[in-house]
């Protein structure tokens, strides 16, 4: 009887070990797939950076959905731009208002993706010179919604923002990258 019990226990143990190994391999495969999606999405952001560096609005906008479903809440007016044509025009206008090198570099990028949808949030350093010689440099917050269409990730929604000093109702261009609102004076001066 002891031999039969030992044999059953060993068989059950082997089965359980095999099952756990299969589950672990499935998780590794799923993680590798998500990793590929994240890499593809991060490459989209690099395409945007390269487009700005090259002062090429079409290249900078190439990762965005090319129809009227695209929605951007951008830093310059208007508050909301709907559709690819309007978004491209806004990008062209921004680039035309500057001279010399442009910087649009992403940092602190976080991506979460499933098979069809993804979201990302990041910081973006914008720097350059407006026509007339006034230099600018600031850090904005960017949140993106992405959709995988025909096997390719595209940005379908983007919201860019700057923190606001609630006492003066003005944008804070030199805000620290992290912290809590309690770290700053929010009331009247």
């Amino acid at each position: 009887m002891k031999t039969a019990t030992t044999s059953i226990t060993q068989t059950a143990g082997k089965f359980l070990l095999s099952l756990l190994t299969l589950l672990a391999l499935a998780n590794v495969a799923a993680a590798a797939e998500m990793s590929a999606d994240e890499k593809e999405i991060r490459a989209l952001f690099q395409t945007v950076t390269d487009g700005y560096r090259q002062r090429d609005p079409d290249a900078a906008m190439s990762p965005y959905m090319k129809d009227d479903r695209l929605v951007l809440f951008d830093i310059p007016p208007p508050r909301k731009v709907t559709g690819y044509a309007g978004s491209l025009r806004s990008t062209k206008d921004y680039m035309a208002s500057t001279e010399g090198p442009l910087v649009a570099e992403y940092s602190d990028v976080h991506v979460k993706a499933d098979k069809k949808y993804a979201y990302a949030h990041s910081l973006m350093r914008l720097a350059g010179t407006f026509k007339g010689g006034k230099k600018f440099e600031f850090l904005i917050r960017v949140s993106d919604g992405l959709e995988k269409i025909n096997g390719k990730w595209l940005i379908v929604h983007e919201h860019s923002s700057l923190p606001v000093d609630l006492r003066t109702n003005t944008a804070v261009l030199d805000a620290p990258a992290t912290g809590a609102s309690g770290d700053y004076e929010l009331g009247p001066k």
Side-chain angles (χ1 to χ4, degrees):
M1 197 69 171
K2 237 180 186 181
T3 309
T5 304
T6 303
S7 178
I8 291 172
T9 303
Q10 287 175 343
T11 303
K14 288 178 184 177
F15 174 77
L16 185 58
L17 183 61
S18 296
L19 182 61
L20 290 173
T21 301
L22 285 173
L23 288 173
L25 289 173
N27 283 336
V28 168
E33 183 179 323
M34 294 304 285
S35 178
D37 285 331
E38 182 175 343
K39 285 179 186 176
E40 186 178 337
I41 290 167
R42 287 174 179 270
L44 293 179
F45 297 141
Q46 185 60 49
T47 299
V48 173
T49 294
D50 293 343
Y52 275 93
R53 184 177 297 119
Q54 298 160 5
R55 300 184 62 83
D56 181 344
D58 294 304
M61 290 295 298
S62 66
Y64 292 80
M65 180 171 278
K66 305 295 187 284
D67 62 28
D68 288 339
R69 292 177 289 168
L70 176 62
V71 176
L72 297 182
F73 294 98
D74 212 345
I75 297 299
R79 291 182 185 158
K80 176 182 175 185
V81 179
T82 302
Y84 181 77
S87 300
L88 180 60
R89 187 175 65 249
S90 180
T91 302
K92 287 179 178 181
D93 290 347
Y94 168 68
M95 289 185 183
S97 73
T98 64
E99 56 191 17
L102 277 176
V103 175
E105 296 173 337
Y106 291 87
S107 64
D108 198 24
V109 177
H110 298 271
V111 177
K112 180 70 175 166
D114 67 13
K115 303 232 182 266
K116 177 105 172 121
Y117 300 101
Y119 66 88
H121 60 88
S122 60
L123 299 173
M124 179 188 271
R125 181 176 152 255
L126 293 172
T129 306
F130 287 114
K131 287 189 174 174
K134 182 175 176 162
K135 293 190 179 299
F136 64 90
E137 180 172 1
F138 49 91
L139 198 63
I140 64 171
R141 306 172 292 196
V142 181
S143 298
D144 289 292
L146 300 99
E147 186 174 347
K148 197 170 208 177
I149 299 171
N150 297 322
K152 182 178 174 184
W153 286 106
L154 293 172
I155 299 169
V156 298
H157 177 91
E158 184 170 85
H159 187 117
S160 302
S161 65
L162 288 163
V164 172
D165 183 328
L166 298 177
R167 298 168 300 171
T168 63
N169 200 30
T170 58
V172 179
L173 301 180
D174 60 350
T178 60
S181 62
D183 296 340
Y184 311 101
E185 203 174 310
L186 298 178
K189 284 186 175 183

